[in-house]
Amino acid sequence: MRGRPDYQPPLDRQGVALRYLCAVAPMLFHGTVLAWLVLHDGGRLPQALIDTTLGLIGLVLMRWRRRRPWQIALATALLTTFSATATGPAQVAYVSLVTHRRWSRTVPVAVVSVACLLVSGALGGIDQATVVSSASGLTILGGLTVFGLYLRGRRDLEMSLRERARAAEREQRQRIDQARLAERVKIAQEMHDVLAHRISLLAMLAGGLAYRTDLGPEQTREAALAIQENAHQSLNELRAVLRTLRDDGAVEAPQPNLTHLDALFGEVRAAGQQVEVDDSIDGRESLPAQTGRHAYRIVQEALTNARKHAPGARVTAELGGRPGEGLRIRVTNPTRSGSASGPGGRLGLVGLAERTRMAGGTLSHTIQGGRFILDVRLPWEAADRDPAGDSG
């Protein structure tokens, strides 16, 4: 990954101190040489003072090398024409410029640096020492260019790693949020299935007490006890579902399956709903627990919808299937024009469709011959055969 050309990571105190140390070390070397020359030739003092002053100016200019990279690199390079002590700040400023990797600015500054190096050597006359000094300066400039590119590569790598870490952190947060949302949807579905069934039974029982005037005291008492029992069961099941929400865990209770269907049919019949059952499921013990749970909830919601849309009508539930063929659920009930569906009446099929989708099945519904037909198909894979049974 190639980083942004102008990207410069912030420096800590150690980084700043290291760069000034790299600039001051050559200054001290050249300053020591100037001091030795002044001791042997006092006439060199003004030249040494100018050289040192220009070097200090270059050291001060280093402060703005990251804000004005090519301007500072060019200014310090020009100072090296008349100041050997400015070489250190010029080298640091040049490396800082190279790390930006803008060749349209780096190449001109490099050319100026070479020119200043040659002019500085030619001022004192061209001899063997001047040639060696110029060659050494060119070599050092090339090394500084390579070192600057190396630093830029390190910074690009660090920035790439940080970007990947931030992206991984964002993805992890998104996965957590999606998992939480999916869990809340599951809990909401569970609450809808549980409470819609119980409350519809309560409504049926309460409706019987409200409109039937032929009930005796004993029948009234039985209906009231049934209402009380269903209300208690509603509260218990609601607490079980809410407990999973507080614990931030998977929905664990209640967990009914196909073995609880007989109890479900008996419960709705006791509440007054007429249900005919045709159960031809073969090998139900091999049905996956998750599929059995979804099947139970689908039947439960279908019966609840029938009570809402066709109260008092006879409902037919047909169950069938075997491993490898899938599980079939077919619930039918007469349609009654003009009957009110009650609160949430439009949400039953939405919940059924969502439940079927979670189970990986298909749902279809239609009206034929004055009957509403709900048809659900759930996957049921065939069990793997025992390899030992095929051996001859």
Side-chain angles (χ1 to χ4, degrees):
M1 174 182 175
R2 179 167 179 168
R4 300 188 306 272
D6 291 331
Y7 171 73
Q8 295 289 330
L11 296 177
D12 55 12
R13 292 183 178 179
Q14 292 180 352
V16 174
L18 178 62
R19 283 152 179 79
Y20 275 94
L21 178 62
C22 292
V24 170
M27 292 181 66
L28 293 177
F29 172 77
H30 290 291
T32 302
V33 173
L34 289 175
W36 184 82
L37 292 175
V38 170
L39 288 176
H40 289 77
D41 184 2
R44 292 178 176 266
L45 180 60
Q47 180 183 354
L49 291 177
I50 294 174
D51 192 311
T52 304
T53 302
L54 294 177
L56 292 175
I57 292 175
L59 190 66
V60 173
L61 291 177
M62 273 182 55
R63 179 178 180 181
W64 294 279
R65 73 189 183 282
R66 294 167 68 89
R67 192 178 306 171
R68 298 280 190 270
W70 73 269
Q71 294 94 331
I72 300 302
L74 180 62
T76 52
L78 293 174
L79 291 177
T80 60
T81 305
F82 307 99
S83 172
T85 55
T87 303
Q91 291 175 348
V92 175
Y94 177 74
V95 171
S96 180
L97 173 64
V98 173
T99 58
H100 287 267
R101 206 161 49 198
R102 289 185 177 272
W103 298 111
S104 60
R105 297 175 180 177
T106 303
V107 172
V109 173
V111 171
V112 171
S113 299
V114 173
C116 292
L117 177 65
L118 297 177
V119 171
S120 176
L123 289 178
I126 300 176
D127 52 15
Q128 185 177 2
T130 302
V131 174
V132 172
S133 176
S134 299
S136 301
L138 291 174
T139 303
I140 293 174
L141 188 65
L144 293 175
T145 303
V146 174
F147 181 66
L149 294 176
Y150 167 75
L151 289 181
R152 181 64 196 188
R154 285 283 304 272
R155 291 173 181 176
D156 288 347
L157 178 60
E158 292 175 0
M159 185 172 66
S160 175
L161 294 177
R162 282 195 294 269
E163 295 271 346
R164 292 180 182 179
R166 284 194 290 266
E169 185 178 356
R170 288 194 298 268
E171 292 177 0
Q172 179 66 14
R173 286 198 300 266
Q174 290 176 356
R175 285 194 294 267
I176 293 175
D177 293 340
Q178 290 173 358
R180 288 176 177 172
L181 179 60
E183 192 63 31
R184 290 174 180 175
V185 170
K186 288 172 61 179
I187 293 173
Q189 182 71 36
E190 198 74 16
M191 291 179 64
H192 173 269
D193 293 343
V194 171
L195 294 182
H197 169 68
R198 292 294 176 191
I199 293 175
S200 65
L201 287 179
L202 290 173
M204 177 179 289
L205 293 170
L209 288 178
Y211 295 104
R212 293 190 59 179
T213 59
D214 58 336
L215 296 178
E218 186 63 25
Q219 293 175 316
T220 302
R221 180 176 176 276
E222 291 178 357
L225 289 176
I227 292 175
Q228 183 183 34
E229 181 181 356
N230 276 277
H232 288 166
Q233 291 180 2
S234 299
L235 290 175
N236 292 334
E237 292 177 348
L238 178 60
R239 290 192 187 99
V241 175
L242 292 179
R243 188 180 303 116
T244 64
L245 181 61
R246 289 194 299 269
D247 296 341
D248 197 20
V251 178
E252 297 180 354
Q255 292 289 328
N257 50 43
L258 289 185
T259 61
H260 298 83
L261 283 179
D262 290 338
L264 174 64
F265 293 138
E267 185 178 50
V268 298
R269 285 166 180 159
Q273 187 174 15
Q274 303 178 52
V275 181
E276 292 183 359
V277 180
D278 181 7
D279 189 344
S280 60
I281 299 176
D282 186 13
R284 68 178 65 214
E285 64 278 355
S286 64
L287 184 69
Q290 188 76 358
T291 304
R293 172 182 168 228
H294 286 305
Y296 177 92
R297 291 303 186 194
I298 289 171
V299 174
Q300 183 186 59
E301 181 64 20
L303 295 177
T304 300
N305 286 343
R307 287 195 298 272
K308 290 180 181 178
H309 296 279
R314 184 177 297 275
V315 182
T316 301
E318 301 176 19
L319 308 174
R322 64 183 60 189
E325 294 183 0
L327 180 65
R328 302 185 305 274
I329 301 174
R330 183 183 176 93
V331 180
T332 65
N333 59 268
T335 58
R336 294 187 176 182
S337 59
S339 61
S341 61
R346 297 178 180 271
L347 302 179
L349 288 177
V350 176
L352 281 169
E354 179 65 18
R355 174 72 68 176
T356 304
R357 186 193 63 79
M358 291 170 59
T362 59
L363 177 145
S364 62
H365 57 86
T366 185
I367 297 177
Q368 292 181 359
R371 293 186 67 85
F372 177 80
I373 302 175
L374 176 71
D375 197 352
V376 176
R377 303 296 178 96
L378 301 180
W380 186 356
E381 300 295 335
D384 294 336
R385 298 181 61 186
D386 185 1
D390 296 334
S391 62

